[in-house]
Amino acid sequence: MTDVVVGLDAGGTKLGVRVETLDGTRIADVSLPAEDWSATPAESAARWLVDRMERVLGGAADHRVVAVGVGAQGCDTAEHCRELEEALAALGYPALVVNDAALLVPAAGLDAGIGVIAGTGSIAVGQDADGSPLFAGGWGWVLGDDGGAPAIVREATIAALAAHDDGAQDDGLLAALLRAFGVASAPALARAVNDTPTPENWGPRAVAVFAAADAGSALAVDVIGAAADHLARLVGQLVRRGAVGGAVVTSGSVIVHQPRLFAALSARIAAAHPQLTVVLLGDAPVAGGVAIARHVHQRSSPELFMRHAGVTGV
C-alpha cells in the first residue's frame, strides 16, 4: 500500500485536487466543478470534500491517505477551520484547514507572507507573529469583493450607464459590455445585468472590461484601478494588524489572466509598502494544500492526533 498526501483547494467555481506520494510522485492533479460547495455546516462540507477526494483516488485500496491539506473558501475564522478539521478527522482523514487564500504562500514555497486572491471573489489572508490567521475582505460579491470578476463587471456597468445618462460619448466600455451580454442598448444592458444578478452571469464578462481598457477606454481603466485600490487596501489592513512576511503572493482567475490588474496592484503595493515583494503564483494554489498536508504528516500529525482525540494543551 502506498501512502499519499492530498491537497484540496475548494473555491467558488472549482475544486482542485492534487495527490502525491511521500517521495513527491504526483498521482493525480484534477479540477472538478464546485458550484455547490459550501463550507457550512462543517460535517456536510467534510463529506463533500471526502466524496470528491475518494472519487479522484478511485477508491483504490493500494493508496492510503495519511494527511490532507485543505484551502476552503468560506472558512474565514480559526474556529471554522478547526470545525472542518475535526469533521474530516471523524471521517478518518487527518487534516489541516485554512482559507483558500492561505494556500498561496505555501504554494509559492514561502513560510510567511500575505496571500491575495482576485477571482470570483477577493480576499487577503496572512498571519501575525503568533501564527494567528488574519483576514481582510472576503465578504462575498454582494457586499463587495471589489477585486473579483463579478464586482468588476458591476462597477463597469455602473460607470458605463452613468456616462450614457450624462450624454457622454461612449469611450468603448459600453459597447464592450453590450457585446459581452449580447444586447443592443443601454436599457437592455441594465436589464441583462439586473435580471440575473449572479456571479455566473456577471463574472465571465470581466474580460470585456479589460479588453475595453486595452482598447483605450478611460472608464474601464478607472474601474480596474479601483479594483487594484481595493486589493491594495486589503494588504494594508493586514500589514497594520501585524501580518508577517516579506511577500504578497497573488492568484485567482482574474489577476492570473489579466496582467493589467497585477501591474496596477503591484504598483500600489510598491508605493505604500516598499518592503513587500509582489509575486504572481506560478503554480496552482492547490500546491499549497499539498505542502500543508506534508507538514501535517511530517511534523504535526502527533499533535493533530492528540487534539482530535480530545487531549488538551496541544
Side-chain angles (χ1 to χ4, degrees), residues 74-269:
C75 279
D76 299 332
T77 66
E79 293 76 13
H80 193 167
C81 291
R82 177 71 64 89
E83 290 175 0
L84 185 49
E85 287 174 14
E86 292 172 347
L88 287 165
L91 296 175
Y93 293 98
L96 186 63
V97 178
V98 297
N99 180 272
D100 57 338
L103 294 179
L104 305 189
V105 170
L110 302 173
D111 293 326
I114 295 173
V116 177
I117 285 182
T120 302
S122 63
I123 190 171
V125 175
Q127 287 187 335
D128 63 20
D130 295 326
S132 298
L134 301 172
F135 300 93
W139 311 312
W141 68 278
V142 174
L143 295 179
D145 280 3
D146 287 354
I152 287 173
V153 172
R154 179 193 67 217
E155 295 306 308
T157 303
I158 291 171
L161 292 177
H164 177 269
D165 287 350
D166 285 339
Q169 182 176 356
D170 176 29
D171 72 351
L173 180 58
L174 179 60
L177 290 169
L178 293 178
R179 289 192 298 271
F181 281 92
V183 295
S185 66
L189 174 63
R191 289 194 297 272
V193 174
N194 278 321
D195 288 353
T196 312
T198 64
E200 294 78 15
N201 184 39
W202 294 4
R205 272 79 179 199
V207 294
V209 182
F210 288 93
D214 292 342
S217 167
L219 287 177
V221 170
D222 288 345
V223 168
I224 296 165
D229 288 340
H230 174 77
L231 297 173
R233 181 183 180 189
L234 299 183
V235 172
Q237 289 171 335
L238 295 188
V239 170
R240 288 190 294 274
R241 289 159 57 192
V244 297
V248 176
V249 184
T250 64
S251 190
S253 58
V254 179
I255 203 161
V256 166
H257 297 293
Q258 300 297 342
R260 182 181 288 272
L261 180 59
F262 177 75
L265 175 61
S266 298
R268 285 157 173 78
I269 292 176

